[in-house]
Amino acid sequence: MKIATWNVNSIRARQERVLDWLRTAQPDIVCLQELKCTDADFPTDAVREVGYHAAVHGQKTYNGVAILAKEEPRDVVKGLSDGVDDTHARLIAATVGGIRVVSAYAPNGQSVDSEQYHYKLQWYERLRRYLDSRHQPGEPLVLGGDWNVAPADIDTYDPKEWEGQTLFTDKEKAALRKVCDFGLKDAFRELYPDVQKFSWWDYRMLAFPKNRGLRIDHLYVTAPLASRLVASDVDREARKGKQPSDHAPVWIELRS
C-alpha cells in the first residue's frame, strides 16, 4: 500500500499537475492540504475520472484538506470537533482499507510574536487531545500533513540560519514532539535516520535549484504500521516544471 501527503497550494491552480501525478504515481491514499477552495469547488469529478474517491473539508481562499483514495473513504470526520470556535479547515479523517487516515494542515505561525504563532501552539495541543480522545496507539493510524515544523537540524539546509525562526523554534518542535508522544513514528526517519531530504522550498531566491529547503511534510504512523514500512521518499520531480506547488509529495509504502 502506498500512502502520500502533499500540500498542493491551491487545488484549482494545480489541478492538472495533481491529476497527472495521481495517474503516474498511483498512490492508494493521498492526504492533501491547502486546497484553498470550498467543498463544492473541489474537482471531485475529475479526481473520480482518474480512479479516486474524495473526502473533502474545504474553505474558501484559505486552508482546506482532503483524503483521496482508490477505495471510498468511510466514517469521515471533519475538524478537531472539540467545541473550540475555529473556522479553519485544517483536519479531516477517514477509514480506508482498515487504516484510520488523518490529513492535517498545521498553522504556519507567521512570526514568533504574532497571535498566529500562539494559535499554532494551541492547535498542536488540541490535536494531541483529539488523538487521546479518539484513538489508541495500538490501532493502525496514519497522520499525513504539512506540519509547518522542521523537527531537527537535519531537516533544514541551514540550522543556524533558521534558529529562532518560525517553523524551527524550540516551542514548535516541542509541540510536535508532544503529539508524537501519543505513539507516532516519523515514517521517513524510521527508515532513513541519517538521510537529509526536504519537502518544501521557498519560491524565492532560487531556493529549489539550490536545494535550500525544509522537511516540514511528514507521515506519522502508529506501531502496527511502522512494522510494515518498506520505503519512503520525497517526489522531488513533482516540484519541478511550470507553476508547481512549493511543496513536493511525500510517500510511504507498507507491506501487506
Side-chain angles (χ1 to χ4, degrees), residues 25 43 73 78 91 111 135 171 236:
K78 300 180 180 183
L91 185 139
S111 60
H135 298 289
K171 288 183 178 179
R236 185 181 165 90

Side-chain angles (χ1 to χ4, degrees), residues 10-194:
S10 176
I11 187 66
R12 288 184 289 182
R14 242 66 68 178
Q15 178 174 324
E16 290 307 313
R17 294 185 66 105
V18 171
L19 295 175
D20 287 344
W21 184 80
L22 291 172
R23 292 186 192 100
T24 57
Q26 288 292 308
D28 297 283
I29 303 168
V30 188
C31 299
L32 299 181
Q33 300 87 40
E34 207 169 357
L35 304 178
K36 296 183 178 179
C37 74
T38 63
D39 292 17
D41 288 333
F42 187 84
T44 302
D45 292 341
V47 165
R48 186 181 296 115
E49 287 178 5
V50 296
Y52 289 85
H53 302 272
V56 180
H57 182 29
Q59 180 181 340
K60 185 177 181 180
T61 308
Y62 302 103
N63 308 318
V65 286
I67 296 170
L68 311 185
K70 293 183 177 180
E71 175 185 313
E72 187 167 5
R74 297 183 293 105
D75 304 321
V76 176
V77 172
K78 300 180 180 183
L80 290 167
S81 305
D82 56 0
V84 175
D85 184 15
D86 187 351
T87 60
H88 292 196
R90 294 190 176 276
L91 185 139
I92 189 169
T95 299
V96 182
I99 297 174
R100 193 63 177 170
V101 181
V102 177
S103 178
Y105 177 41
N108 176 277
Q110 302 302 324
S111 60
V112 294
D113 57 351
S114 69
E115 286 297 319
Q116 292 93 330
Y117 183 79
H118 296 295
Y119 167 70
K120 180 177 188 174
L121 299 179
Q122 292 167 358
W123 185 89
Y124 268 105
E125 291 178 0
R126 294 168 60 203
L127 178 60
R128 175 56 197 267
R129 291 196 295 268
Y130 173 94
L131 294 172
D132 288 336
S133 64
R134 291 175 176 267
H135 298 289
Q136 298 292 329
E139 70 178 275
L141 172 68
V142 57
L143 282 75
D146 172 3
W147 301 96
N148 272 313
V149 178
D153 286 1
I154 194 174
D155 300 311
T156 170
Y157 67 88
D158 188 339
K160 289 296 183 182
E161 182 175 323
W162 277 91
E163 186 174 358
Q165 291 194 53
T166 310
L167 310 184
F168 197 60
T169 65
D170 289 342
K171 288 183 178 179
E172 290 167 294
K173 288 182 276 189
L176 179 57
R177 282 196 302 270
K178 186 175 180 180
V179 170
C180 292
D181 286 344
F182 167 81
L184 299 171
K185 301 291 186 180
D186 181 337
F188 181 80
R189 282 283 165 250
E190 283 293 290
L191 292 169
Y192 313 112
D194 302 317

